[in-house]
Amino acid sequence: MCGGFTCSKNSLLALNILYVVVSFILIGVAAAAKAASFVTSVSLVSVIIACGVFLLLISIVGLIGASKHHQVMLFFYMIVLFIIFIIQFSVACACLAINENQEKLVASKGWNLSADTTRMDAQIFFGCCGYNDTRNGTVIYLDHPSCAYVKKTPEIFCCPGNESKDCCTKNSTVCNCDTCDKPIQEAMLRGFNLVGGIGLFFSFTEFLGVWLTVRYRNQRDPRANPSAFL
């Protein structure tokens, strides 16, 4: 009978094995999204990484508790898993709900706080030069390292002849590259959508785990007590 003790036990074991896989997916996807934006250290994405780590640890507790039908471990597992569900669900919704102005604010602050080496890495990766903060209807040209050796394409340098120190500056009209604000913000948007979507989807499996644990804890092991058979 699928609603019995053995079925609940096997389902909980399988669900915790799934959690192990899900935790690596959450950690990997969130870390990749965080790294892709280069200059931003997004706290929302970091929380998803933390949820993935805690989910990995608590899934091990769940495997042990389910295999031994250990009431204390299952209770601890159920409480922690429910907390992870609430945090992950909330953060995933926040990632999906972030608007354009908030995205620009995070990106511009990240650029301002980044070292020149990080900014240079972003410029080389995206094939861009400089950063324009375009919030509130105004354009603020932010500082950036030299673009003399940055390439827009494998054949085209941002600075023609890559020798002018004044190219791609605030008052310069000589620059083959666009600014980095749009590609960085696009990378952030893709990261938020991906992390938020995956986090939201798998958060419902955690709620399923809480429900299944409550059910499993209230069932008697027929092997330990033969009179439990109905």
Side-chain angles (χ1 to χ4, degrees):
M1 181 176 180
C2 191
F5 177 86
T6 302
C7 181
S8 297
K9 177 180 179 179
N10 292 338
S11 298
L12 194 57
L13 288 171
L15 196 59
N16 279 280
I17 293 173
L18 175 65
Y19 289 160
V20 173
V21 178
V22 170
S23 65
F24 284 112
I25 293 175
L26 290 175
I27 294 170
V29 171
K34 188 175 181 179
S37 59
F38 279 92
V39 299
T40 57
S41 180
V42 183
S43 57
L44 289 177
V45 177
S46 299
V47 173
I48 292 292
I49 295 176
C51 285
V53 173
F54 282 110
L55 183 61
L56 176 61
L57 297 176
I58 201 63
S59 63
I60 297 174
V61 176
L63 285 170
I64 299 173
S67 61
K68 296 184 177 181
H69 199 230
H70 196 289
Q71 293 292 319
V72 176
M73 292 184 71
L74 288 173
F75 178 78
F76 174 76
Y77 164 81
M78 178 179 62
I79 297 300
V80 175
L81 187 62
F82 185 68
I83 294 173
I84 293 175
F85 161 74
I86 294 175
I87 295 173
Q88 186 175 317
F89 179 82
S90 302
V91 172
C93 290
C95 286
L96 294 173
I98 190 169
N99 59 41
E100 185 178 353
N101 287 333
Q102 292 170 332
E103 183 183 309
K104 289 180 178 180
L105 176 62
V106 171
S108 61
K109 282 188 175 181
W111 184 272
N112 281 326
L113 295 174
S114 297
D116 279 347
T117 52
T118 305
R119 296 175 184 174
M120 178 59 76
D121 289 339
Q123 290 180 158
I124 293 173
F125 181 82
F126 291 111
C128 58
C129 182
Y131 193 99
N132 286 344
D133 186 359
T134 57
R135 288 176 295 123
N136 301 322
T138 59
V139 179
I140 302 174
Y141 195 82
L142 305 181
D143 293 335
H144 66 89
S146 172
C147 300
Y149 298 98
V150 177
K151 293 182 177 181
K152 181 177 183 179
T153 66
E155 297 80 19
I156 301 176
F157 283 89
C158 289
C159 296
N162 65 25
E163 56 187 14
S164 174
K165 295 182 179 179
D166 297 325
C167 79
C168 296
T169 58
K170 181 178 180 180
N171 299 318
S172 173
T173 58
V174 181
C175 189
N176 291 328
C177 295
D178 297 325
T179 54
C180 295
D181 42 291
K182 287 186 178 180
I184 288 176
Q185 290 165 15
E186 288 173 357
M188 283 182 56
L189 180 61
R190 289 194 299 269
F192 276 131
N193 289 338
L194 183 61
V195 171
I198 292 177
L200 184 63
F201 175 78
F202 285 116
S203 66
F204 292 108
T205 66
E206 293 158 12
F207 186 78
L208 175 63
V210 173
W211 173 80
L212 190 58
T213 304
V214 172
R215 178 183 178 183
Y216 180 57
R217 286 185 73 244
N218 294 327
Q219 292 177 324
R220 290 179 293 178
D221 187 350
R223 292 173 300 179
N225 183 10
S227 63
F229 282 113
L230 299 178

